[in-house]
Every structure is written in C-alpha cells, then in structure tokens.
Amino acid sequence: MNIELRQPEISQKTRLKVIDVDIHPKSAMEDLRPYLAKRWWDHYQTYGSRIRQGFLKGFPYPKSQPFASRRDSWPPGGGLPASDLNFMKQQYLDLHPIEYAIMNPLSPTGQGDQNDEFSAAMAVAANEFQLDGWYARDGRLLSSVVVPYEDGEASRVEIRRRAGDKRFAHVLLKSRTNELLGKRRYWPIYEAAVEAGLPVGIHVFGTSGRPASNTGWPSFYIEDMTEHASCCQAQVVSLILEGVFERYPELKIVMIEAGFGWMPPLGWRMDKHWKTLKAEVPHLKRAPSEYLRGHFWVSTQPMEEAEEPDHLMDMMSWVGWDHIMFASDYPHWDFDDPLMALPPALDHERRSKVMSENARALYRLD
Amino acid sequence: MAMAGHVVASVDEIPPGTRKLVEVNGRAIVVFNLSGDFFALNNRCPHRGGSLSDGIQTGLVQSREPGDYCYSRPGEMVKCPWHGWEFDIRTGKSWCDPARIRVRQYPVTVKPGTELVEGPHVAETFPVRVENNYVVVEA
C-alpha cells in the first residue's frame, strides 16, 4: 500500500531539477603536484602541511564513518570516496536530475596552513585541479575559488586571477578562521569577491587553530558537529557588526552546512542589543537582522529537524524562501538525498526554489 | 498481495555472521544469519533510504552513567551506511527510536530440500536439491 501511494509523489519530485551547492569530489596531493612549483612540492615532501590542530594527520575527532563518508561511496575500482567520476555519476550525478553541483574542496587545499606562501601556492593548485580534473570532464561540476584566507592580500590575488571565469561559482572560506571574519585583515577577500561578482561561501570546519566552541576543545564528535552553529553565529555577528556590509553592500555570503535554525533568534538578539548600544557601532545604518536577511544565503544540509513541522517552516520563512539552497554534501555520511531532504509540507513553488531556482539566481547560472 | 514463501538461498550460502541481499517480488530484502538464526529485513532504511546491506554489523553499547559502558550482542545491530541509524536485526527496531522507527521484518524459516521439491515453495530461478537446507522468506 505504501508503495502505491508514494510512487506518484516521488516521480513528481524527480522531475524537479537540482542545483546542489555542496559536494566534495576528492583529490590527492599527487593530483595537485603538476600545479605546484618544484619549490613547493619539495617543501611539502620535507615539511608536510602545518595545519593548526592537535593532529597533523587525520581528524581531531573520529568521524561517524571512515573518511566521514557514506560506506557505500567507496568506488569499486579503488580510491577514496568521490575520487572516481564515473562512480560518482552512477551513484549521484546521473541518478538524480543534477544540473550543476558546486565543488567545495576541503583537503588538500592548504587552507589554514601556518605557512602563508605554501597556503597560497596550494590554493592555486587546488583551483587548477578543480578545472582540469573535474570540470573539464563534467561541465556540471562548478569550482570554488579556494583562497589562502588567513592572508587577505594573497586571497585577493587569487580571486582576481579567477574573476570573470564562469567555471567558478563562489569564493570558499571555512568557518574556523584564526580571527573573526569581520576583522579588517579579511576585508580584501570581500572587496575582491564583490569586484569579481562572486558570492563568498563559508563552509563549516577549518584548521586555523580554533575549536568549534567558543570555550575550548570539546570531547566528542557530536559536539564538533553541533557547535558548527555557535561558531557560525559568532562569524555572522562579526561580519554584520564590524560593518562589512556597509562597506561592501553587494557582498553575498553563503553559509554552507551550518544549518539555519539559529538564525531567527540571533537576529532578534542582535536587534535588541542594537537598540540600546547603537552608539558603539554607528557605522550600522540598519537593524542587524536586516543585514542578516539581506546578505546571507544558507544551504539545506544538514537542516534542523523540529518535532513540530510548522516550527521548521517558520524558521525557513524567517530566513527567506529566496535564500535557502539545496545541498547534498555527497559523499559524506550525513548526505541528504534530493528526494528526501525537504519537508513534505513544502509546496511545489517553494520546493522548486530551494532545489534549484535560488541557486540559479544567486550564481547567475543559465 | 498475499504473502508467499520464497526460497532465497541455501543455508550454506549465508554462514553465521554474514548476510545476503535478495530480491523478492521486486523488493530488496537482506537476510542475516546470527549464530544460526535467520532474520530478513527490508533493505531500505526507513530514515532516508540508505541500503542496509551496505552497512556494517555492530554491537549494542549501553551505559548506566558517564564513565560506565557495556558492550553486548556483537554483530546483532546493522548500521545504515548513510547516517548511521542502527537497527536491531532480531526485531527490526531502531536503536534511537524503537517505538516509532523500525525497518520492516519478514518471517524466515529453514526448510529441508526434500520438503521444498514437493512445493508450494518452488523458486523458479533457484535449483533446489533434496540433500540441502534452504532459507525461505515469507513476503
């Protein structure tokens, strides 16, 4: 009986096109080697990467599944999850009507490395490999401009190098930076992104030396996952209250994998304090929540699961139906299936916006 | 559709501690052997649809208080390869929400080949020999 009832519903959803704003094709250091000067390859061989976290190799927290990936995503022919384009097509890109998928490389990219010059060289290599290793073989795979974000000027150089190249969708930062993202040292990134007409994506995680929580390193992976929300709130508050959006009114930020249930109360809280403390931040011309709703987009995966479906709908309404974009996080273990990701209560128009139209508008995809 | 018995494997094909993915009337069903007891579960995870036969089998970890833990029933929980939801293979109930979330279970029996060749459980695609025992799923 269940099967009979579900079929028409699923086939209708299947017809909806999908633009996925967060997938993680995997590259190896060996893939980046052709794009690294010998000086930097030798440096890597001699000194390795110098990320700021407790362990130089592996993850600071054990992931739920090996390589944080779906156990069924290991390619039959060998290699790491999402390292084999043909298997990725079979398991995801061709299984669903994927129009575009934005690649957010997590490692190796050199982001957060203590050696700024190595970090900058790695960013160039990671960007070149996205084009040659992925986009050239499947034009649905759009690249991110990986930048050495702890060095604002070097990031500006890399963004300018990619400006006008339609194969890049956004500039990619991670959420755990060495200082709060509203600080001036990061402003060259925003200035260059606006000049290039690119949104700035902030994907959770990062190895710049800061724990997820604001008060030290948690014990468990479940805390690492949960605290993305508090970490991202601190970044959003900093970006808004430092006046970044007054200086760069065209700047658009995409929060990736951060959830969004925390946004409405954060807006209320900032507005409440702003009413009495606005003399401290006279550069703000509008209520903080207006910047929040105007300049931030969010991705769906992983979204909060409220006991009352209406509560989730209320949160999504507050964030804005034009500002929520589907993400699968393929091949990671907390992957969202395009058919199952959105609450059943969403009507066709809103579903279509979230699944593709909002991303199409933001990224100007034709 | 009325339930009918389907011969899905010989007992030798699914030794203790292993499982086999089979198709019965278009449904993917995974058959487990836990120390000689057979259990059949729908292969589709009720959470988001992951394929349970691609998951690992693990044990039951419980705790009375912080700092104390008890690990029991090794191999009797199957963990979905996607989001890691765990299901008790003996009951189909999920570990985190046993009252509401469970994976459909199908009755399984072991029958001797001598009985099966007489019918009614003849599998069209499956050669049945009188000297073997077979796993029969009611679905």
Side-chain angles (χ1 to χ4, degrees):
Chain A
M1 291 295 279
N2 279 342
I3 289 170
E4 286 169 24
L5 285 172
R6 286 186 57 82
Q7 289 302 356
E9 180 197 2
I10 285 178
S11 59
Q12 190 194 350
K13 284 182 197 167
T14 310
R15 284 199 295 272
L16 277 184
K17 292 172 179 166
V18 177
I19 298 178
D20 184 344
V21 302
D22 186 32
I23 67 166
H24 300 291
K26 186 70 182 167
S27 58
M29 263 313 280
E30 202 56 48
D31 294 325
L32 306 192
R33 187 175 180 177
Y35 309 102
L36 284 171
K38 184 157 189 335
R39 182 259 181 279
W40 289 119
W41 182 257
D42 288 351
H43 172 93
Y44 175 73
Q45 293 301 313
T46 308
Y47 303 102
S49 60
R50 304 293 294 169
I51 51 178
R52 295 175 174 92
Q53 65 177 27
F55 304 109
L56 283 177
K57 291 186 173 171
F59 304 111
Y61 297 92
K63 303 287 187 177
S64 165
Q65 319 263 33
F67 272 86
S69 294
R70 283 169 48 169
R71 281 186 188 266
D72 60 354
S73 68
W74 292 76
L80 293 173
S83 64
D84 176 335
L85 177 61
N86 286 330
F87 185 61
M88 184 161 66
K89 280 182 175 175
Q90 179 190 327
Q91 187 167 55
Y92 183 61
L93 294 171
D94 292 348
L95 188 64
H96 298 283
I98 310 287
E99 267 193 283
Y100 296 101
I102 297 175
M103 301 183 283
N104 294 308
L106 299 180
S107 74
T109 62
Q111 286 190 317
D113 200 280
Q114 298 191 47
N115 185 316
D116 285 339
E117 289 183 61
F118 177 64
S119 184
M122 283 290 291
V124 177
N127 292 335
E128 292 295 328
F129 183 74
Q130 288 179 82
L131 299 178
D132 292 352
W134 297 108
Y135 176 86
R137 296 160 66 208
D138 191 323
R140 292 174 292 178
L141 300 175
L142 301 177
S143 303
S144 291
V145 183
V146 171
V147 291
Y149 49 70
E150 298 303 345
D151 183 340
E153 284 305 326
S155 298
R156 186 207 301 272
V157 169
E158 185 55 20
I159 295 167
R160 284 191 172 158
R161 194 195 317 275
R162 311 298 172 182
D165 187 336
K166 299 289 279 180
R167 298 172 295 177
F168 287 92
H170 57 207
V171 172
L172 180 64
L173 312 180
K174 289 195 196 142
S175 60
R176 295 181 204 163
T177 44
N178 198 249
E179 287 192 81
L180 288 166
L181 279 171
K183 302 297 275 185
R184 301 285 170 108
R185 61 183 282 191
Y186 300 108
W187 286 27
I189 298 174
Y190 313 132
E191 187 168 291
V194 166
E195 275 174 18
L198 292 170
V200 173
I202 302 174
H203 189 288
V204 296
F205 292 105
T207 51
S208 299
R210 303 298 179 195
S213 98
N214 297 324
T215 319
W217 294 88
S219 299
F220 303 112
Y221 180 51
I222 189 173
E223 294 178 87
D224 198 40
M225 294 292 284
T226 308
E227 296 297 343
H228 287 315
S230 58
C231 167
C232 287
Q233 287 183 67
Q235 297 286 31
V236 167
V237 169
S238 172
L239 284 163
I240 292 173
L241 297 183
E242 293 271 7
V244 170
F245 302 106
E246 279 302 324
R247 175 68 70 85
Y248 308 111
E250 292 161 47
L251 180 61
K252 294 168 179 172
I253 304 278
V254 185
M255 302 303 294
I256 305 166
E257 211 174 316
F260 48 78
W262 44 269
M263 274 193 171
L266 184 70
W268 300 330
R269 192 175 177 89
M270 276 193 291
D271 285 2
K272 176 186 171 70
H273 292 310
W274 180 68
K275 283 173 191 158
T276 50
L277 301 172
K278 50 163 78 162
E280 191 188 17
V281 284
H283 47 268
L284 293 192
K285 307 300 181 208
R286 295 181 286 147
S289 65
E290 291 185 40
Y291 299 100
L292 181 50
R293 287 203 268 200
H295 291 272
F296 287 86
W297 277 250
V298 300
S299 67
T300 53
Q301 181 280 336
M303 78 171 90
E304 288 81 356
E305 294 175 12
E307 300 86 355
E308 293 287 336
D310 286 350
H311 292 173
L312 183 60
M313 299 298 279
D314 288 346
M315 292 189 293
M316 294 175 93
S317 297
W318 194 95
V319 172
W321 291 106
D322 296 332
H323 283 229
I324 303 170
M325 303 186 289
F326 172 75
S328 74
D329 199 27
Y330 182 88
H332 291 158
W333 70 275
D334 41 353
F335 164 82
D336 265 356
D337 185 305
L339 290 176
M340 308 281 286
L342 301 184
L346 244 61
D347 61 33
H348 182 83
E349 187 192 345
R350 285 173 173 172
R351 191 172 290 275
S352 166
K353 281 185 167 189
V354 173
M355 293 310 292
S356 65
E357 297 314 315
N358 293 341
R360 193 188 312 284
L362 177 68
Y363 295 110
R364 299 175 193 155
L365 301 169
D366 306 317
Chain B
M1 188 184 296
M3 302 266 272
H6 300 268
V7 183
V8 297
S10 71
V11 163
D12 301 343
E13 268 183 86
I14 316 177
T18 69
R19 69 282 186 99
K20 184 185 182 191
L21 178 64
V22 301
E23 191 179 312
V24 176
N25 282 340
R27 267 173 296 195
I29 293 175
V30 53
V31 182
F32 298 89
N33 180 341
L34 299 183
S35 308
D37 298 331
F38 287 88
F39 300 92
L41 300 180
N42 191 324
N43 191 49
R44 183 183 162 83
C45 178
H47 172 235
R48 289 289 185 272
S51 162
L52 293 180
S53 60
D54 290 316
I56 57 165
Q57 285 173 242
T58 181
L60 180 64
V61 59
Q62 293 171 294
S63 175
R64 284 172 305 175
E65 58 182 341
D68 162 273
Y69 76 88
C70 166
Y71 188 78
S72 63
R73 300 180 55 199
E76 297 199 1
M77 310 293 285
V78 61
K79 185 169 179 171
C80 178
W82 287 9
H83 306 91
W85 277 61
E86 288 172 327
F87 298 91
D88 187 331
I89 292 169
R90 290 185 181 274
T91 64
K93 290 181 181 175
S94 65
W95 170 221
C96 49
D97 194 358
R100 290 198 311 145
I101 309 286
R102 62 171 68 199
V103 59
R104 179 163 181 191
Q105 205 175 29
Y106 299 93
V108 188
T109 49
V110 172
K111 299 206 161 151
T114 44
E115 191 178 316
L116 292 172
V117 291
E118 303 294 324
H121 302 309
V122 179
E124 302 81 6
T125 57
F126 203 84
V128 171
R129 295 166 195 263
V130 289
E131 64 270 27
N132 286 349
N133 287 327
Y134 292 90
V135 180
V136 177
V137 172
E138 300 282 334

